[in-house]
Amino acid sequence: MADRLAGYGYVVAAPEIFHRREWIGAVIKPDAMGRLRGNNNARNTHTAAQATACIYPTGLQDGVQCSDRADSLQRATEIQGALLTIFGSLDPHVPEPPRESILAKLAAVPGLRQRTRLYKANHTFMRDDGERWDPQCSDQAWWEVIAFLQKELG
């Protein structure tokens, strides 16, 4: 994703975001154990952001992050920057009723600059390394992310 953003002309830094929790150069694989490790690191990392694109978020509706629990949605009032959420309507991890609940809770956060886009696609539809990849929806979502970043970051 960093390479793709750089292709749009952004200067992209891909820092060791978990440098306080992992050894330099650590690779977290996109498998079950990697998700557990990454979610635990993310839960214990606090950073400030002007704009956040949250792409096919899972676990927001009930706080379940694999075998752990998170309070991300309850902490939405702490968001200082703008927020873009992108969902796939065919995503089994966030079906329509929970997705609508998430969006209602975000809409209720005072002063939150938030918008959402819904694509007729499955979970991880922007990853071109699996059967869920949808190139058309992926391209549309990328344009949405780039437009959002251009608006919020200049």
Side-chain angles (χ1 to χ4, degrees):
M1 290 189 139
D3 289 341
R4 181 138 185 190
L5 285 172
Y8 285 99
Y10 285 95
V11 175
V12 179
E16 299 281 352
I17 61 172
F18 301 133
H19 65 278
R20 292 180 184 97
R21 308 196 53 78
E22 298 280 348
W23 48 274
I24 300 298
V27 175
I28 300 176
K29 294 182 181 180
D31 58 15
M33 291 307 295
R35 282 187 294 280
L36 285 172
R37 188 168 137 198
N39 286 337
N40 183 58
N41 286 336
R43 195 171 21 265
N44 293 296
T45 302
H46 305 283
T47 60
Q50 290 177 303
T52 301
C54 192
I55 301 171
Y56 29 80
T58 60
L60 291 179
Q61 69 271 22
D62 55 12
V64 174
Q65 297 289 325
C66 297
S67 64
D68 293 331
R69 304 220 31 104
D71 60 352
S72 301
L73 193 55
Q74 292 73 29
R75 296 179 59 201
T77 58
E78 298 174 26
I79 298 173
Q80 299 297 311
L83 175 65
L84 169 66
T85 52
I86 292 179
F87 291 95
S89 64
L90 306 176
D91 187 338
H93 302 290
V94 191
E96 185 177 2
R99 184 175 60 245
E100 293 302 319
S101 174
I102 290 167
L103 296 178
K105 288 178 182 175
L106 290 174
V109 175
L112 179 61
R113 293 186 337 270
Q114 191 270 341
R115 65 182 183 203
T116 297
R117 294 296 181 254
L118 179 64
Y119 294 90
K120 187 175 180 180
N122 205 328
H123 187 69
T124 68
F125 70 90
M126 292 174 70
R127 285 182 48 189
D128 65 357
D129 63 348
E131 63 187 38
R132 299 178 193 168
W133 181 47
D134 185 314
Q136 291 177 334
C137 288
S138 179
D139 287 346
Q140 292 171 14
W142 269 109
W143 281 114
E144 186 69 33
V145 169
I146 296 305
F148 169 74
L149 293 175
Q150 287 174 341
K151 178 182 181 233
E152 297 300 330
L153 303 176

